[in-house]
Amino acid sequence: MTTLKLAISESQIQECVGRLAQLIQVDYQDQPLLVVGALNGSFVFLADLIRRMNLPIQVDFIRLSSYDESEKSSGTVRLHHGVRTSVAGKNVLVVEDIVDTGLTAQFIRGYFEDQGAATVRICSLLDKPVRRRTSVTVDYVGFEVPDEFLVGYGLDYNQQYRELRALYSLEEEIDGS
Ligand code: IMP
């Protein structure tokens, strides 16, 4: 049986989103920003984050996969949809739900640098540094988390749990114990 254990509460998340939005706003100081969400996991975080920032922004999305239907990373990042907005000369802020191995973040950084972005920064709600397999820089991090599989607030397991307002660790219980 699968059970959910509260890891980060709704109020902790909202406080953190406000803090990140403030940092980003100060760093960009009224400069236009192209905010790009990495689908699917980032859509809830991105929606909250942009509504806490007072900056001229454009929003677009990119869809990639490195995970299959299990909890395991396949190790290969595939681009399914790139952005439609032109990127050359723009400040790009990539929004991710979680940086795990860092392969996705590294791929996205290269993708925008190759398209001539003026700057590329990455903002991730969650960071699992213990799992990192690259040296990619994550510029804004909400919470550092241990090596547990988390769901809620946009993050899924088999496309479930994205709608939850808080973050939970997924625990497998052995029946009869
Ligand atoms: P990375 O390329 O290994 O850094 O993987 C990043 C992607 O893996 C995230 O955007 C998520 O889609 C997925 N992922 C990694 N860890 C978790 C987790 O704990 N819960 C849900 N998705 C995860």
Side-chain angles (χ1 to χ4, degrees):
M1 207 177 81
T2 304
T3 57
L4 300 182
K5 187 170 156 237
L6 183 66
I8 303 175
S9 70
E10 183 180 0
S11 61
Q12 284 176 299
I13 294 171
Q14 290 308 324
E15 192 190 321
C16 172
V17 172
R19 181 175 54 80
L20 290 173
Q22 188 61 34
L23 282 175
I24 293 165
Q25 198 168 303
V26 168
D27 285 355
Y28 288 94
Q29 303 210 352
D30 294 331
Q31 293 177 74
L33 188 58
L34 173 59
V35 180
V36 179
L39 291 171
N40 291 335
S42 71
F43 75 104
V44 178
F45 175 41
L46 182 143
D48 282 348
L49 188 69
I50 60 170
R51 287 178 295 169
R52 303 286 285 268
M53 296 189 306
N54 187 12
L55 284 175
I57 61 162
Q58 290 181 300
V59 177
D60 207 334
F61 292 93
I62 185 170
R63 181 186 291 271
L64 309 116
S65 66
S66 68
Y67 273 57
D68 45 36
E69 291 296 300
S70 73
E71 295 178 21
K72 296 268 182 302
S73 170
S74 66
T76 311
V77 179
R78 283 199 203 93
L79 178 68
H80 297 285
H81 287 288
V83 288
R84 294 185 155 217
T85 316
S86 82
V87 166
K90 290 189 180 156
N91 293 314
V92 176
L93 179 72
V94 178
V95 177
E96 282 213 71
D97 52 353
I98 183 165
V99 177
D100 185 47
T101 62
L103 291 167
T104 305
Q106 188 179 51
F107 181 97
I108 297 177
R109 198 178 264 288
Y111 170 84
F112 286 113
E113 283 170 359
D114 289 351
Q115 289 191 46
T119 62
V120 183
R121 287 191 183 150
I122 297 173
C123 173
S124 183
L125 179 67
L126 303 170
D127 184 13
K128 259 189 219 174
V130 69
R131 298 251 313 155
R132 199 71 94 251
R133 284 166 56 189
T134 67
S135 56
V136 68
T137 302
V138 186
D139 304 275
Y140 306 97
V141 171
F143 301 97
E144 271 195 14
V145 292
D147 187 10
E148 291 175 345
F149 199 82
L150 297 169
V151 296
Y153 198 68
L155 286 84
D156 78 306
Y157 173 61
N158 277 344
Q159 303 303 331
Q160 282 182 286
Y161 309 120
R162 293 192 196 276
E163 74 283 9
L164 302 177
R165 290 168 175 263
L167 282 151
Y168 299 84
S169 62
L170 198 66
E171 297 183 347
E172 294 288 336
E173 271 183 11
I174 299 153
D175 283 344
S177 62

